[in-house]
Amino acid sequence: MEIKFENVSYIYSQGTELEKYGLSDINFKIQSASFTAIVGHTGSGKSTLIHQINALLKPSKGNVRIGDDFIINNEITGKGLKPLRQKVGMVFQFPENQLFEETVLKDIMFGPLNFGFSKKEAEDSAYYWLEKVGLDVSLADKSPFELSGGQMRRVAIAGVMASNPEVLILDEPTAGLDPVGQKEILALFKDYQHQGHTVVLVSHDMDIVANYADEVLVLEAGQLLRQEAPQTLFQDEKWLHQHALNQPKVTAFAQQLAAKGFKFESMPITMAELVEVLTPKLGGKLAEDG
Ligand SMILES: Nc1ncnc2c1ncn2[C@@H]1O[C@H](COP(=O)(O)OP(=O)(O)OP(=O)(O)O)[C@@H](O)[C@H]1O
Ligand SMILES: [Mg+2]
C-alpha cells in the first residue's frame, strides 16, 4: 500500500509549556511494495514519524494517507483504528514490551485472533512465523519472559507478521541480534517485500540501509531533509559529513582507496558492488602474479 504524508506536524504536549515539535511539516510518498529506510540521529523524530502510520500518534496537523482506504489526521477516532492496525503492523523499538501473554504461542496468536482469524488459522499462522523467525517449536509453550532478549525480539516480530499486515513497520528490529541472526531476519523482511508488502524500517546502521532499502528518508530535528535511493545519498560524502551521518563501511573503504588515487565511477555502497568494481582491476594483477 502507498503511504503519503501531507504537511504532517506532530507536537508533543501541545498547549502546555513543554510544547515541542516532534515533526515539522513533513511531506513524502512511499510506493506500494517498496522497502524504505528511515535514518537520522537519536531524537530526530524517526519513531514519532512511524507512529503516525498506524495512528499510535495522530498528526497534530496534516494527513497521513494509507492506500485509498485510510486518512489519518487529528479527527480519526477509535472505530477506524482496528482495520487500520490490521493493515499496518508495527514492531516497536523495544519489542520486548510488546509481549504479554502466558506463552509464546498465545502471544503470536493474539494479533491474528484480534483481527478475526479463526483459532485454527491463528495457530497455523503462529507456528509458521515461529519457525520463519528462527525459533524452535519447543519454545511455543514457554513463557515469553523466560526467553533471551534476541528470542523475545523474534517472538515480537512473529506476532506482528502472523496477522499478515500489508504494511510492515520496523523500529530498529535487529538491534541486539547477532550478525547471523540480523541477516536472517532482514532477509525475511526483504522476502516479505517481494511478496508485495510495503516495508518501512528505522535503522542507525547504514550498511543495513545500503543492502536492503530501495529508498531512504533522512530526518533531522523533526524535519525531512532528503528522500532518495541509498546509492544517491551515500555518494554525497560532504553532505553526510556536514550532518554527522555515516557512510556504509564499504563506501568509507572505497573513499580511502579513492584518496590514494583509485578511480571509481561511482562509490560502491555494498560488498557486492565493491567486488564488482575491483575485480577487473585486481583480476589482471592476479593473473600477472600467477
Ligand atoms: N513523549 C514525549 N514527550 C515529549 N517529547 C518527546 C516524547 N517522545 C519523544 N519526544 C521528543 O521528540 C523528538 C523525537 O523523538 P523520537 O523518539 O521520535 O526520536 P527517534 O529519532 O526515534 O530517536 P531514537 O533514535 O533515539 O529512537 C525528541 O526530541 C524527543 O525528545
Ligand atoms: Mg526511536
mmCIF file with all atom_site columns, all heavy atoms in Angstrom, residues 41-48 50-51 93-94 171-172 202 204, ligand 2:
data_model
loop_
_atom_site.group_PDB
_atom_site.id
_atom_site.type_symbol
_atom_site.label_atom_id
_atom_site.label_alt_id
_atom_site.label_comp_id
_atom_site.label_asym_id
_atom_site.label_entity_id
_atom_site.label_seq_id
_atom_site.pdbx_PDB_ins_code
_atom_site.Cartn_x
_atom_site.Cartn_y
_atom_site.Cartn_z
_atom_site.occupancy
_atom_site.B_iso_or_equiv
_atom_site.pdbx_formal_charge
_atom_site.auth_seq_id
_atom_site.auth_comp_id
_atom_site.auth_asym_id
_atom_site.auth_atom_id
_atom_site.pdbx_PDB_model_num
ATOM   1   N  N   . HIS A 1 41  ? 19.671 11.057 13.478 1.00 0.00 ? 41  HIS A N   1
ATOM   2   C  CA  . HIS A 1 41  ? 20.250 10.925 14.810 1.00 0.00 ? 41  HIS A CA  1
ATOM   3   C  C   . HIS A 1 41  ? 19.197 10.593 15.847 1.00 0.00 ? 41  HIS A C   1
ATOM   4   O  O   . HIS A 1 41  ? 18.005 10.760 15.594 1.00 0.00 ? 41  HIS A O   1
ATOM   5   C  CB  . HIS A 1 41  ? 20.950 12.223 15.208 1.00 0.00 ? 41  HIS A CB  1
ATOM   6   C  CG  . HIS A 1 41  ? 22.160 12.455 14.391 1.00 0.00 ? 41  HIS A CG  1
ATOM   7   N  ND1 . HIS A 1 41  ? 23.299 11.699 14.533 1.00 0.00 ? 41  HIS A ND1 1
ATOM   8   C  CD2 . HIS A 1 41  ? 22.400 13.311 13.379 1.00 0.00 ? 41  HIS A CD2 1
ATOM   9   C  CE1 . HIS A 1 41  ? 24.184 12.099 13.651 1.00 0.00 ? 41  HIS A CE1 1
ATOM   10  N  NE2 . HIS A 1 41  ? 23.671 13.065 12.937 1.00 0.00 ? 41  HIS A NE2 1
ATOM   11  N  N   . THR A 1 42  ? 19.656 10.212 17.006 1.00 0.00 ? 42  THR A N   1
ATOM   12  C  CA  . THR A 1 42  ? 18.738 9.976  18.104 1.00 0.00 ? 42  THR A CA  1
ATOM   13  C  C   . THR A 1 42  ? 17.979 11.280 18.390 1.00 0.00 ? 42  THR A C   1
ATOM   14  O  O   . THR A 1 42  ? 18.558 12.367 18.348 1.00 0.00 ? 42  THR A O   1
ATOM   15  C  CB  . THR A 1 42  ? 19.521 9.427  19.323 1.00 0.00 ? 42  THR A CB  1
ATOM   16  O  OG1 . THR A 1 42  ? 18.594 9.026  20.293 1.00 0.00 ? 42  THR A OG1 1
ATOM   17  C  CG2 . THR A 1 42  ? 20.491 10.427 19.904 1.00 0.00 ? 42  THR A CG2 1
ATOM   18  N  N   . GLY A 1 43  ? 16.663 11.161 18.546 1.00 0.00 ? 43  GLY A N   1
ATOM   19  C  CA  . GLY A 1 43  ? 15.842 12.348 18.786 1.00 0.00 ? 43  GLY A CA  1
ATOM   20  C  C   . GLY A 1 43  ? 15.421 13.093 17.529 1.00 0.00 ? 43  GLY A C   1
ATOM   21  O  O   . GLY A 1 43  ? 14.788 14.145 17.603 1.00 0.00 ? 43  GLY A O   1
ATOM   22  N  N   . SER A 1 44  ? 15.749 12.550 16.332 1.00 0.00 ? 44  SER A N   1
ATOM   23  C  CA  . SER A 1 44  ? 15.426 13.280 15.099 1.00 0.00 ? 44  SER A CA  1
ATOM   24  C  C   . SER A 1 44  ? 13.962 13.138 14.696 1.00 0.00 ? 44  SER A C   1
ATOM   25  O  O   . SER A 1 44  ? 13.482 13.877 13.829 1.00 0.00 ? 44  SER A O   1
ATOM   26  C  CB  . SER A 1 44  ? 16.333 12.809 13.958 1.00 0.00 ? 44  SER A CB  1
ATOM   27  O  OG  . SER A 1 44  ? 16.191 11.421 13.756 1.00 0.00 ? 44  SER A OG  1
ATOM   28  N  N   . GLY A 1 45  ? 13.242 12.175 15.291 1.00 0.00 ? 45  GLY A N   1
ATOM   29  C  CA  . GLY A 1 45  ? 11.810 12.054 15.002 1.00 0.00 ? 45  GLY A CA  1
ATOM   30  C  C   . GLY A 1 45  ? 11.411 10.778 14.275 1.00 0.00 ? 45  GLY A C   1
ATOM   31  O  O   . GLY A 1 45  ? 10.275 10.648 13.820 1.00 0.00 ? 45  GLY A O   1
ATOM   32  N  N   . LYS A 1 46  ? 12.319 9.812  14.198 1.00 0.00 ? 46  LYS A N   1
ATOM   33  C  CA  . LYS A 1 46  ? 12.031 8.581  13.452 1.00 0.00 ? 46  LYS A CA  1
ATOM   34  C  C   . LYS A 1 46  ? 10.847 7.823  14.050 1.00 0.00 ? 46  LYS A C   1
ATOM   35  O  O   . LYS A 1 46  ? 9.908  7.452  13.351 1.00 0.00 ? 46  LYS A O   1
ATOM   36  C  CB  . LYS A 1 46  ? 13.278 7.675  13.417 1.00 0.00 ? 46  LYS A CB  1
ATOM   37  C  CG  . LYS A 1 46  ? 14.505 8.344  12.834 1.00 0.00 ? 46  LYS A CG  1
ATOM   38  C  CD  . LYS A 1 46  ? 15.713 7.423  12.803 1.00 0.00 ? 46  LYS A CD  1
ATOM   39  C  CE  . LYS A 1 46  ? 16.205 6.962  14.165 1.00 0.00 ? 46  LYS A CE  1
ATOM   40  N  NZ  . LYS A 1 46  ? 16.695 8.058  15.041 1.00 0.00 ? 46  LYS A NZ  1
ATOM   41  N  N   . SER A 1 47  ? 10.906 7.579  15.365 1.00 0.00 ? 47  SER A N   1
ATOM   42  C  CA  . SER A 1 47  ? 9.803  6.840  15.994 1.00 0.00 ? 47  SER A CA  1
ATOM   43  C  C   . SER A 1 47  ? 8.514  7.657  15.940 1.00 0.00 ? 47  SER A C   1
ATOM   44  O  O   . SER A 1 47  ? 7.438  7.110  15.672 1.00 0.00 ? 47  SER A O   1
ATOM   45  C  CB  . SER A 1 47  ? 10.140 6.480  17.449 1.00 0.00 ? 47  SER A CB  1
ATOM   46  O  OG  . SER A 1 47  ? 11.253 5.612  17.487 1.00 0.00 ? 47  SER A OG  1
ATOM   47  N  N   . THR A 1 48  ? 8.638  8.948  16.162 1.00 0.00 ? 48  THR A N   1
ATOM   48  C  CA  . THR A 1 48  ? 7.451  9.812  16.095 1.00 0.00 ? 48  THR A CA  1
ATOM   49  C  C   . THR A 1 48  ? 6.807  9.691  14.715 1.00 0.00 ? 48  THR A C   1
ATOM   50  O  O   . THR A 1 48  ? 5.585  9.581  14.589 1.00 0.00 ? 48  THR A O   1
ATOM   51  C  CB  . THR A 1 48  ? 7.836  11.285 16.366 1.00 0.00 ? 48  THR A CB  1
ATOM   52  O  OG1 . THR A 1 48  ? 8.584  11.344 17.583 1.00 0.00 ? 48  THR A OG1 1
ATOM   53  C  CG2 . THR A 1 48  ? 6.619  12.169 16.482 1.00 0.00 ? 48  THR A CG2 1
ATOM   54  N  N   . ILE A 1 50  ? 7.025  7.153  12.403 1.00 0.00 ? 50  ILE A N   1
ATOM   55  C  CA  . ILE A 1 50  ? 6.367  5.877  12.081 1.00 0.00 ? 50  ILE A CA  1
ATOM   56  C  C   . ILE A 1 50  ? 5.121  5.652  12.934 1.00 0.00 ? 50  ILE A C   1
ATOM   57  O  O   . ILE A 1 50  ? 4.193  4.984  12.490 1.00 0.00 ? 50  ILE A O   1
ATOM   58  C  CB  . ILE A 1 50  ? 7.332  4.676  12.175 1.00 0.00 ? 50  ILE A CB  1
ATOM   59  C  CG1 . ILE A 1 50  ? 7.945  4.574  13.547 1.00 0.00 ? 50  ILE A CG1 1
ATOM   60  C  CG2 . ILE A 1 50  ? 8.385  4.728  11.084 1.00 0.00 ? 50  ILE A CG2 1
ATOM   61  C  CD1 . ILE A 1 50  ? 8.678  3.281  13.761 1.00 0.00 ? 50  ILE A CD1 1
ATOM   62  N  N   . HIS A 1 51  ? 5.084  6.237  14.121 1.00 0.00 ? 51  HIS A N   1
ATOM   63  C  CA  . HIS A 1 51  ? 3.888  6.061  14.954 1.00 0.00 ? 51  HIS A CA  1
ATOM   64  C  C   . HIS A 1 51  ? 2.660  6.750  14.354 1.00 0.00 ? 51  HIS A C   1
ATOM   65  O  O   . HIS A 1 51  ? 1.532  6.441  14.728 1.00 0.00 ? 51  HIS A O   1
ATOM   66  C  CB  . HIS A 1 51  ? 4.152  6.556  16.384 1.00 0.00 ? 51  HIS A CB  1
ATOM   67  C  CG  . HIS A 1 51  ? 5.064  5.643  17.145 1.00 0.00 ? 51  HIS A CG  1
ATOM   68  N  ND1 . HIS A 1 51  ? 5.668  6.003  18.327 1.00 0.00 ? 51  HIS A ND1 1
ATOM   69  C  CD2 . HIS A 1 51  ? 5.484  4.382  16.884 1.00 0.00 ? 51  HIS A CD2 1
ATOM   70  C  CE1 . HIS A 1 51  ? 6.426  4.997  18.754 1.00 0.00 ? 51  HIS A CE1 1
ATOM   71  N  NE2 . HIS A 1 51  ? 6.328  4.010  17.900 1.00 0.00 ? 51  HIS A NE2 1
ATOM   72  N  N   . GLN A 1 93  ? 10.309 -0.241 18.912 1.00 0.00 ? 93  GLN A N   1
ATOM   73  C  CA  . GLN A 1 93  ? 11.756 -0.114 19.140 1.00 0.00 ? 93  GLN A CA  1
ATOM   74  C  C   . GLN A 1 93  ? 12.212 -1.060 20.255 1.00 0.00 ? 93  GLN A C   1
ATOM   75  O  O   . GLN A 1 93  ? 13.309 -1.576 20.209 1.00 0.00 ? 93  GLN A O   1
ATOM   76  C  CB  . GLN A 1 93  ? 12.076 1.341  19.491 1.00 0.00 ? 93  GLN A CB  1
ATOM   77  C  CG  . GLN A 1 93  ? 13.552 1.635  19.540 1.00 0.00 ? 93  GLN A CG  1
ATOM   78  C  CD  . GLN A 1 93  ? 13.850 3.133  19.450 1.00 0.00 ? 93  GLN A CD  1
ATOM   79  O  OE1 . GLN A 1 93  ? 12.945 3.961  19.487 1.00 0.00 ? 93  GLN A OE1 1
ATOM   80  N  NE2 . GLN A 1 93  ? 15.107 3.466  19.347 1.00 0.00 ? 93  GLN A NE2 1
ATOM   81  N  N   . PHE A 1 94  ? 11.358 -1.264 21.251 1.00 0.00 ? 94  PHE A N   1
ATOM   82  C  CA  . PHE A 1 94  ? 11.706 -2.199 22.322 1.00 0.00 ? 94  PHE A CA  1
ATOM   83  C  C   . PHE A 1 94  ? 10.637 -3.275 22.355 1.00 0.00 ? 94  PHE A C   1
ATOM   84  O  O   . PHE A 1 94  ? 9.749  -3.257 23.208 1.00 0.00 ? 94  PHE A O   1
ATOM   85  C  CB  . PHE A 1 94  ? 11.811 -1.457 23.655 1.00 0.00 ? 94  PHE A CB  1
ATOM   86  C  CG  . PHE A 1 94  ? 12.791 -0.326 23.596 1.00 0.00 ? 94  PHE A CG  1
ATOM   87  C  CD1 . PHE A 1 94  ? 12.355 0.989  23.501 1.00 0.00 ? 94  PHE A CD1 1
ATOM   88  C  CD2 . PHE A 1 94  ? 14.156 -0.575 23.578 1.00 0.00 ? 94  PHE A CD2 1
ATOM   89  C  CE1 . PHE A 1 94  ? 13.256 2.037  23.399 1.00 0.00 ? 94  PHE A CE1 1
ATOM   90  C  CE2 . PHE A 1 94  ? 15.070 0.473  23.470 1.00 0.00 ? 94  PHE A CE2 1
ATOM   91  C  CZ  . PHE A 1 94  ? 14.618 1.775  23.388 1.00 0.00 ? 94  PHE A CZ  1
ATOM   92  N  N   . ASP A 1 171 ? 10.940 -0.723 13.864 1.00 0.00 ? 171 ASP A N   1
ATOM   93  C  CA  . ASP A 1 171 ? 11.767 0.300  14.514 1.00 0.00 ? 171 ASP A CA  1
ATOM   94  C  C   . ASP A 1 171 ? 13.006 -0.377 15.089 1.00 0.00 ? 171 ASP A C   1
ATOM   95  O  O   . ASP A 1 171 ? 12.926 -1.039 16.122 1.00 0.00 ? 171 ASP A O   1
ATOM   96  C  CB  . ASP A 1 171 ? 10.944 0.990  15.618 1.00 0.00 ? 171 ASP A CB  1
ATOM   97  C  CG  . ASP A 1 171 ? 11.498 2.365  15.982 1.00 0.00 ? 171 ASP A CG  1
ATOM   98  O  OD1 . ASP A 1 171 ? 12.634 2.662  15.589 1.00 0.00 ? 171 ASP A OD1 1
ATOM   99  O  OD2 . ASP A 1 171 ? 10.776 3.124  16.656 1.00 0.00 ? 171 ASP A OD2 1
ATOM   100 N  N   . GLU A 1 172 ? 14.122 -0.258 14.409 1.00 0.00 ? 172 GLU A N   1
ATOM   101 C  CA  . GLU A 1 172 ? 15.385 -0.892 14.836 1.00 0.00 ? 172 GLU A CA  1
ATOM   102 C  C   . GLU A 1 172 ? 15.183 -2.370 15.173 1.00 0.00 ? 172 GLU A C   1
ATOM   103 O  O   . GLU A 1 172 ? 15.564 -2.810 16.264 1.00 0.00 ? 172 GLU A O   1
ATOM   104 C  CB  . GLU A 1 172 ? 15.931 -0.189 16.090 1.00 0.00 ? 172 GLU A CB  1
ATOM   105 C  CG  . GLU A 1 172 ? 16.332 1.243  15.872 1.00 0.00 ? 172 GLU A CG  1
ATOM   106 C  CD  . GLU A 1 172 ? 17.754 1.397  15.351 1.00 0.00 ? 172 GLU A CD  1
ATOM   107 O  OE1 . GLU A 1 172 ? 18.439 0.392  15.134 1.00 0.00 ? 172 GLU A OE1 1
ATOM   108 O  OE2 . GLU A 1 172 ? 18.156 2.547  15.148 1.00 0.00 ? 172 GLU A OE2 1
ATOM   109 N  N   . VAL A 1 202 ? 13.241 1.578  10.403 1.00 0.00 ? 202 VAL A N   1
ATOM   110 C  CA  . VAL A 1 202 ? 14.081 2.589  11.041 1.00 0.00 ? 202 VAL A CA  1
ATOM   111 C  C   . VAL A 1 202 ? 15.401 1.925  11.398 1.00 0.00 ? 202 VAL A C   1
ATOM   112 O  O   . VAL A 1 202 ? 15.410 0.830  11.963 1.00 0.00 ? 202 VAL A O   1
ATOM   113 C  CB  . VAL A 1 202 ? 13.412 3.110  12.331 1.00 0.00 ? 202 VAL A CB  1
ATOM   114 C  CG1 . VAL A 1 202 ? 14.392 3.981  13.125 1.00 0.00 ? 202 VAL A CG1 1
ATOM   115 C  CG2 . VAL A 1 202 ? 12.144 3.891  11.998 1.00 0.00 ? 202 VAL A CG2 1
ATOM   116 N  N   . HIS A 1 204 ? 19.811 2.784  12.436 1.00 0.00 ? 204 HIS A N   1
ATOM   117 C  CA  . HIS A 1 204 ? 21.002 3.634  12.544 1.00 0.00 ? 204 HIS A CA  1
ATOM   118 C  C   . HIS A 1 204 ? 22.134 3.063  11.704 1.00 0.00 ? 204 HIS A C   1
ATOM   119 O  O   . HIS A 1 204 ? 23.178 3.679  11.566 1.00 0.00 ? 204 HIS A O   1
ATOM   120 C  CB  . HIS A 1 204 ? 21.506 3.676  14.000 1.00 0.00 ? 204 HIS A CB  1
ATOM   121 C  CG  . HIS A 1 204 ? 20.723 4.599  14.864 1.00 0.00 ? 204 HIS A CG  1
ATOM   122 N  ND1 . HIS A 1 204 ? 19.796 4.155  15.770 1.00 0.00 ? 204 HIS A ND1 1
ATOM   123 C  CD2 . HIS A 1 204 ? 20.710 5.950  14.945 1.00 0.00 ? 204 HIS A CD2 1
ATOM   124 C  CE1 . HIS A 1 204 ? 19.261 5.193  16.376 1.00 0.00 ? 204 HIS A CE1 1
ATOM   125 N  NE2 . HIS A 1 204 ? 19.788 6.293  15.895 1.00 0.00 ? 204 HIS A NE2 1
HETATM 126 MG MG  . MG  B 2 .   ? 13.176 5.952  18.120 1.00 0.00 ? 2   MG  B MG  1
#
